[in-house]
Structure formats: structure tokens, C-alpha cells
Amino acid sequence: MADPTFDLRSPEVRILECAHCHEPVAAAASPRLSLRCGYCGAHDEREALVTRASGDEGPAYRSRAAGRSGRRIEVDLGAPVAGLPRRARLAAARALYLERRRAFAAAHDRDDDARAAEEFALLHVATLVAAMQIAARDWLHARAILEATLEAVTVPVYRALVLTRLARLAAMCDAPELGEKWLSLCPPNLRVAEVASDVTVAGAMLARARGDHAATLAALGDAGRADAMVGSARWFATALRADAYEKLGQSGAAMRAWRGGLGGVRNAAMVGSVAATYHLAAETRRRSARGAALGLVFLLVAVFALISGLRSFEGDGRYFMWLAIAGGAIVAALVVRWWVAR
């Protein structure tokens, strides 16, 4: 059974992974950690590596810019994970994560390029597993894998991407103080679009956790900024903006923000998934789904009526009746669209 001392809200608790069974372990936050696993009983003493913002002593990293060895730094966490099918289950993703951890641990003596490649592979699958665990409401294991990954990776960009996800998770756990602590550890001189977007979203989520929905909108800026964001931050920005308007009682503005940030069927699926996972804009999602369903029904009726009208053009003389039905269905679809957006 799990250690009863886990506290997902406290800034004074570290939650990592057991070195033996890889289940979550907790300890008081200090330079030296004493970790006893409540699952397998193993005891571990280790130095805590996350004690301050890193990267402030080195050169700034740019998105996909050359690293120390001239290698371009990969930051696209939205791409398919190498070695994993698109619709893989959590167990398969978790198994690949443990494989990547072992490969990364064995890469210490390899050259910079090989080590950086292993580091990104570990980061990529770890953030995917954490996202799957968050979707399953397993915040404890998500926290453990993110903190364990933060202890492992060394590239400032990669550390920042993990820290912003830890801050988002803290917001989910109603722990804005802890989230601010994670964000304060982000390297201050990174000029990377992916990191800047994630920091903005994490700040907006922390404002939401404090109940300050006006501050959420202020953090996100105007709606046009969503287009400037990259990676999953685009979906978060749309869902957060709609959620903030909804909480402020501005349902019309919430729906306009929701629809304005979609821009396509695939985008709609991504925004909907993020919103459902992070409990954002619940009423707006319901209104959007109802409106889409009703609109689709009326459009199907219109198509059926048009086809029937064409077939009856030289037949039984009901051509104008079918045209009237088609026109009425189209008008009804437009009314539904207006009703949803009002």
C-alpha cells in the first residue's frame, strides 16, 4: 500500500519514484532525501538535484537551436513517441518509459549527441505517461514520474518543460503556492517558444487555482495570442480562456473563445480532450456538443430533402415541398449556431 505521507499540495514534500519498484515515494524536501517505499519496503538515500533554477549560468537555448555540441535541440512533445503506437495503452507507455530510463542511465559515458538523444527520448515518453495518468485522475503517479524525470534531465529546455507540467499539476491539485515554486525553478534566460507558451499557460492555470479568473485572462492576453502559442499550450489557452469567461458569467464570450480557438476538427478534439482532462469550461463544452449535434441533424435533414427534391423534379411534383424542407432545415441549423454562440 502507498505511503500515507503523500501530500500533493505541500511545497515541503518531494514525490519521486522508488529506485527498485518505481512506485511513488515521498520525503521532506531537503538537499538530502531519505526515501522509504511503502510498496516494496526499500530504503534509499540520495541527493536532491532540484534545488534552484538551472541554466542561468550558461548560454540561452533557442527553439531547435544548436546545443553545446552543435546538435539541434528537439522540443516537439506533440509528435508520436518513437517506439509506441498512437493509441497505446498506459501499461505499454509505462513499460517504454522504464526502458528509456534504463537506456538513459546507461548513456552517461556516451558523447553529448547520444546522451541528448536519450534525454529527449526519456522526456518525451515521461510527459506522455504523465498526461495519461492525469487523464486517469492518477495525480500521484503523474507527480512521481514528472519529479523523477526532472531529477534526471539536465538540458535547461527539457527541465523547463517538466517544471511547467509540474506547475499545471499543482494547479489541478489546488496548490498554487507549490505551482509557483515549480515555475520559479524554470531557467530564466531561455528564449524558446515552447517554454514561453507553457509558462504562460501554467501561470494562467495557477491564477485559476486561486480563483482569480480575471487574472487568468490577463495572463493569457488577447485571443490572438493563442495563434502565437505552440505545442499543447494552444489547446490549453483556448480551454482556459473559455473557462475563465464561463466562471465570470460571460457564457457568450466563453463560447466565442471556445469556437474561435478550434480552427478544425483535429483541433476541436485536442481542445476538448485538454478541457475534459483538466476540468475546464464544462458548461461551454456541453453547449458546444449539443449545438454540434443539433446542427448536424438539421444539415442531414437538409441534404436528404435536397436529394429527394432532385429525384422528384420530374416526378410527383413535390419538388418545392422538398426545397422548403431543405431551406427550413438550413435556417434551423443557423439558428442553432446563433443560439449556441449567444
Side-chain angles (χ1 to χ4, degrees), residues 81-82 96-97 100 116-126 158:
V81 173
L96 181 61
Y97 161 72
R100 294 291 188 228
E118 292 291 353
E119 191 161 329
F120 177 74
L122 172 62
L123 170 75
H124 200 179
V125 70
Y158 297 165

Side-chain angles (χ1 to χ4, degrees), residues 264-316:
V265 174
R266 180 178 180 276
N267 291 0
M270 297 299 294
V271 173
S273 175
V274 166
T277 298
Y278 287 85
H279 305 168
L280 301 172
E283 181 56 34
T284 303
R285 280 187 282 129
R286 283 193 289 270
R287 287 183 63 194
S288 179
R290 287 196 299 265
L294 282 172
L296 180 60
V297 168
F298 285 124
L299 287 176
L300 289 175
V301 169
V303 170
F304 174 78
L306 285 172
I307 293 173
S308 298
L310 290 174
R311 287 179 174 177
S312 65
F313 186 68
E314 295 180 353
D316 55 12

Side-chain angles (χ1 to χ4, degrees), residues 30-77:
S30 64
R32 184 165 184 81
L33 303 175
S34 179
L35 302 161
R36 184 173 295 280
C37 182
Y39 294 88
C40 71
H43 183 258
D44 186 21
E45 298 277 345
R46 68 178 82 162
E47 298 295 327
L49 301 181
V50 184
T51 56
R52 62 181 175 83
S54 64
D56 51 333
E57 72 283 353
Y61 285 80
R62 296 180 183 275
S63 177
R64 293 183 173 80
R68 287 164 293 187
S69 66
R71 182 180 183 274
R72 293 168 70 82
I73 296 194
E74 183 59 62
V75 291
D76 184 7
L77 296 178

Side-chain angles (χ1 to χ4, degrees), residues 80-128:
V81 173
L84 198 66
R86 269 284 191 181
R87 299 185 180 277
R89 295 183 178 274
L90 176 58
R94 177 78 182 176
L96 181 61
Y97 161 72
L98 295 176
E99 180 184 322
R100 294 291 188 228
R101 278 194 66 87
R102 290 188 291 269
F104 179 69
H108 279 286
D109 297 330
R110 300 175 68 182
D111 61 43
D112 284 349
D113 282 359
R115 181 171 171 77
E118 292 291 353
E119 191 161 329
F120 177 74
L122 172 62
L123 170 75
H124 200 179
V125 70
T127 53
L128 172 66

Side-chain angles (χ1 to χ4, degrees), residues 207-223:
R208 178 183 183 272
R210 292 190 293 268
D212 193 342
H213 304 297
T216 299
L217 291 173
L220 293 171
D222 61 74

Side-chain angles (χ1 to χ4, degrees), residues 153-275:
V153 298
T154 59
V155 175
V157 171
Y158 297 165
R159 289 172 59 78
L161 291 172
V162 179
L163 286 163
T164 56
R165 281 156 176 78
L166 280 165
R168 291 196 319 230
L169 181 56
M172 284 286 292
C173 297
D174 296 322
E177 182 183 351
L178 175 60
E180 294 291 352
K181 173 186 173 183
W182 291 127
L183 282 186
S184 73
L185 292 172
C186 283
N189 64 341
L190 298 179
R191 297 187 296 276
V192 180
E194 288 80 0
V195 173
S197 297
D198 277 2
V199 167
T200 296
V201 162
M205 288 195 69
L206 292 174
R208 178 183 183 272
R210 292 190 293 268
D212 193 342
H213 304 297
T216 299
L217 291 173
L220 293 171
D222 61 74
R225 284 193 61 184
D227 294 333
M229 291 188 180
V230 296
S232 63
R234 290 175 291 175
W235 327 132
F236 277 96
T238 295
L240 278 166
R241 186 174 283 107
D243 180 85
Y245 280 124
E246 183 179 299
K247 296 296 192 300
L248 292 169
Q250 302 177 35
S251 58
M255 183 56 64
R256 288 190 293 275
W258 179 269
R259 293 176 62 180
L262 298 184
V265 174
R266 180 178 180 276
N267 291 0
M270 297 299 294
V271 173
S273 175
V274 166

